[in-house]
Amino acid sequence: MTYACSHCPLENMASVSELYDVGWEEMRDKLRKWREDNSRNSEQIVDVGEELISDHASKLGDDVWIIYEQVMIAALDCSRDDLALTCLQELRKQFPDSHRVKRLTGMRLEALERYDEANKHYDAILEDDPTNTAARKRKISILKAQGKNGEAIRELNEYLEQFVGDQEAWHELSELYINEHDYGKAAFCLEELMMTNPHNHLYCEQYAEVKYTQGGLENLELSRKYFSQALRLNNRNMRALFGLYMGSGRSKTFASVSPQAGLDTEQQAF
Amino acid sequence: MGEVELSCRAYVKMYLHACLFPRCSVNGLLLSSSSSAGGAVCVTDCVPLLHSHLSLAPITQLALTQVDVWCSQTQQRIVGYYQANACTSDSSPTPCALKIADKIAEQFDGAVLLMLDGSKMSPDYRVPPIVMYERKDSRWTLKDKHTIMLRQWEEIRDVASQMLDSGDHSLLVDFDSHLDDITRDWTNQKLNSKIAELCSPVNGNI
């Protein structure tokens, strides 16, 4: 969903450094932290990054290039094509033949919904380097953006046959299957993730939710087991706690919490 | 079927919910505090529910149950369901939207299904970016636009834009956020007060 807000021109707003009383080093470090955490707080990245590169680019040394990339992607996320283009042009000047920059060019075209042109860029990268996973994933993202979930699923399955250890891809596939209501296959993806990440409470909890949704006595048993497992791994996971409560209620045909009896049938049929 | 009126509070919260999670599909419940008179439904409030895994059952059921209990304590009832899809090019109801709306319709005859049209959500849009469905002959059909009322639309639109620009949408708590931090209030009392301040009291059904 494109961001609907109008962006205030920077001249009318206090600068980030004034508002938060920070120097350029702190801004640079904050950007690094967000990179490492892979957080998608694009509005903040744009606010901090834009000021950093316009006022302090010369002090950043070699860091400036990765910051340009980070700010460019965040700018695309906020519909700030002006800023994205500025960053992209700097990167193109510095790295004229880079696949990584070519991918960014493709992403900008995606943001402008020029999907055919974007695909051409990614195909060119793949011709040069068939193992380039980033380009393949972007092509799948385009399918998703166009609402072609079926094709996206097919392509992602093919990708995973080659790159079976890609956790991000397995999770993306589970999300796509959930959106298509194909809970069996979503469960399979989450099983893969749980095998390789046995201590991740979120995967256990999501798996339990999928099992609960599939319904039937066996699946409810499994969902209770995995909600419990999620709670063992993290006893503050509220979804797991509630899920366990609700699952136990259903298995025992416990009286509904709600005063409206109608909701009982809703529980059965959902 | 009868008329449906959307209050300022309900519209603004739905709009802010969609803006808070622009990359996700979001959904929520529509509530009414007045008993329907002559088939007319007045949506006075809404409860934002989820922004992830809309089609998974346990959390949706939990939320429906909790909202239901809250409604019976506050003389409100669930009269509809709203959803905004992540993919702005497609604002048609998903299977899970239809399922949940069906459940609501079992409890309330004049239930409505509201889809937010992402492609029409910009601050200066002249018509409300909503598509409403009603239940006719066991199917959800498009509601006649003339039976949907949003009093003082321009004012409501401006309130929504103003709150978005000043970052108030980050105050909104949906059920998902409540589960991430159980202390956060999914009934959004604080936000309701802010909206009430901005909406003119003339818009009676705040």
Side-chain angles (χ1 to χ4, degrees):
Chain A
M1 179 167 273
T2 41
Y3 211 79
C5 92
S6 55
H7 201 87
C8 308
L10 265 183
E11 308 90 69
N12 297 347
M13 270 171 45
S15 67
V16 170
S17 48
E18 284 168 20
L19 262 175
Y20 300 101
D21 192 23
V22 288
W24 69 270
E25 295 102 330
E26 281 129 312
M27 289 165 73
R28 175 201 60 192
D29 292 341
K30 204 66 187 188
L31 283 177
R32 182 188 307 130
K33 177 166 190 302
W34 289 332
R35 269 198 313 274
E36 286 165 8
D37 292 342
N38 207 10
S39 0
R40 196 174 173 176
N41 51 336
S42 301
E43 291 85 20
Q44 286 179 301
I45 293 175
V46 162
D47 280 341
V48 174
E50 184 169 27
E51 194 174 308
L52 194 62
I53 52 189
S54 61
D55 296 343
H56 307 281
S58 50
K59 305 185 191 113
L60 295 168
D62 274 336
D63 270 352
V64 74
W65 308 114
I66 200 159
I67 289 177
Y68 271 129
E69 182 186 43
Q70 181 184 14
V71 174
M72 189 215 155
I73 295 176
L76 289 179
D77 219 9
C78 299
S79 296
R80 285 286 312 275
D81 190 49
D82 56 319
L83 178 58
L85 196 51
T86 310
C87 296
L88 185 58
Q89 283 164 343
E90 292 298 317
L91 287 165
R92 273 195 195 136
K93 264 193 293 194
Q94 183 70 11
F95 306 103
D97 295 314
S98 154
H99 278 164
R100 191 161 160 172
V101 176
K102 214 181 178 78
R103 170 196 158 223
L104 291 174
T105 310
M107 283 178 79
R108 177 173 169 266
L109 290 167
E110 282 186 63
L112 297 169
E113 294 185 306
R114 285 151 62 176
Y115 297 122
D116 291 333
E117 290 175 61
N119 265 321
K120 285 209 181 89
H121 274 81
Y122 300 136
D123 287 334
I125 298 177
L126 286 168
E127 234 188 81
D128 227 16
D129 174 16
T131 66
N132 190 306
T133 56
R136 275 184 85 164
K137 289 196 209 184
R138 286 321 311 164
K139 284 178 69 85
I140 295 171
S141 303
I142 290 178
L143 290 170
K144 198 177 162 190
Q146 293 174 313
K148 298 180 181 163
N149 273 355
E151 282 182 58
I153 287 175
R154 241 190 338 267
E155 293 293 310
L156 197 42
N157 269 303
E158 266 184 46
Y159 170 88
L160 278 166
E161 277 171 29
Q162 251 191 290
F163 300 98
V164 85
D166 190 332
Q167 313 280 296
E168 184 184 75
W170 278 113
H171 198 245
E172 183 62 41
L173 187 55
S174 78
E175 300 271 332
L176 285 171
Y177 276 132
I178 288 173
N179 286 339
E180 293 296 299
H181 305 277
D182 197 339
Y183 301 117
K185 299 217 178 91
F188 177 79
C189 298
L190 287 163
E191 282 161 11
E192 285 286 332
L193 285 166
M194 287 194 297
M195 262 197 325
T196 44
N197 303 275
H199 299 295
N200 186 317
H201 65 103
L202 293 172
Y203 293 150
C204 286
E205 177 251 299
Q206 278 180 29
Y207 182 73
E209 283 194 50
V210 170
K211 284 292 152 192
Y212 184 106
T213 309
Q214 281 181 291
L217 210 53
E218 217 179 282
N219 286 324
L220 275 185
E221 281 278 339
L222 272 172
S223 93
R224 280 208 332 266
K225 280 204 179 113
Y226 281 92
F227 277 133
S228 313
Q229 177 66 357
L231 276 171
R232 254 175 25 112
L233 294 169
N234 179 347
N235 63 3
R236 302 180 70 160
N237 186 324
M238 293 309 300
R239 287 185 181 79
L241 185 57
F242 277 117
L244 184 59
Y245 172 78
M246 306 218 24
S248 313
R250 280 186 69 166
S251 300
K252 280 198 211 162
T253 51
F254 202 66
S256 163
V257 172
S258 155
Q260 285 191 10
L263 275 177
D264 267 350
T265 42
E266 175 261 304
Q267 279 183 326
Q268 306 257 324
F270 202 94
Chain B
M1 278 239 145
E3 286 187 342
V4 174
E5 187 184 329
L6 264 187
S7 73
C8 180
R9 177 194 285 182
Y11 176 79
V12 171
K13 275 160 72 175
M14 274 195 305
Y15 180 87
L16 294 181
H17 189 207
C19 291
L20 184 56
F21 302 105
R23 296 131 199 155
C24 315
S25 295
V26 298
N27 68 4
L29 298 172
L30 301 172
L31 309 180
S32 176
S33 60
S34 48
S35 55
S36 48
V41 174
C42 186
V43 178
T44 51
D45 200 354
C46 72
V47 174
L49 289 186
L50 308 175
H51 57 266
S52 65
H53 301 151
L54 270 56
S55 58
L56 291 183
I59 305 304
T60 304
Q61 281 187 17
L62 172 69
L64 278 168
T65 311
Q66 290 214 0
V67 174
D68 203 50
V69 169
W70 181 62
C71 281
S72 59
Q73 293 166 347
T74 52
Q75 285 81 48
Q76 298 182 87
R77 60 186 312 178
I78 301 176
V79 297
Y81 168 85
Y82 75 84
Q83 185 169 305
N85 292 334
C87 193
T88 51
S89 54
D90 178 15
S91 64
S92 53
T94 56
C96 91
L98 295 171
K99 240 186 192 163
I100 300 177
D102 280 342
K103 296 301 162 209
I104 296 172
E106 277 170 23
Q107 305 292 323
F108 180 71
D109 232 356
V112 290
L113 165 57
L114 194 158
M115 298 299 295
L116 275 170
D117 188 344
S119 62
K120 298 201 167 76
M121 280 177 68
S122 66
D124 53 357
Y125 225 84
R126 274 177 298 157
V127 293
I130 58 183
V131 184
M132 224 187 251
Y133 298 81
E134 61 186 356
R135 209 161 158 75
K136 259 191 189 143
D137 307 320
S138 319
R139 293 186 58 210
W140 289 96
T141 48
L142 272 174
K143 206 167 159 54
D144 177 9
K145 288 203 184 100
H146 298 107
T147 57
I148 305 169
M149 292 209 315
L150 258 165
R151 285 191 217 170
Q152 293 165 307
W153 157 242
E154 270 108 20
E155 193 193 84
I156 294 179
R157 182 194 63 197
D158 291 342
V159 170
S161 300
Q162 193 183 330
M163 295 190 82
L164 181 58
D165 282 345
S166 56
D168 284 337
H169 57 301
S170 54
L171 292 173
L172 186 134
V173 181
D174 68 359
F175 208 79
D176 251 342
S177 311
H178 167 72
L179 289 175
D180 290 334
D181 175 358
I182 206 91
T183 60
R184 300 186 74 194
D185 168 31
W186 55 261
T187 66
N188 287 292
Q189 298 305 322
K190 264 202 191 135
L191 198 64
N192 286 346
S193 315
K194 275 212 158 178
I195 297 174
E197 276 172 22
L198 294 172
C199 273
S200 131
V202 172
N203 186 353
N205 296 303
I206 281 177

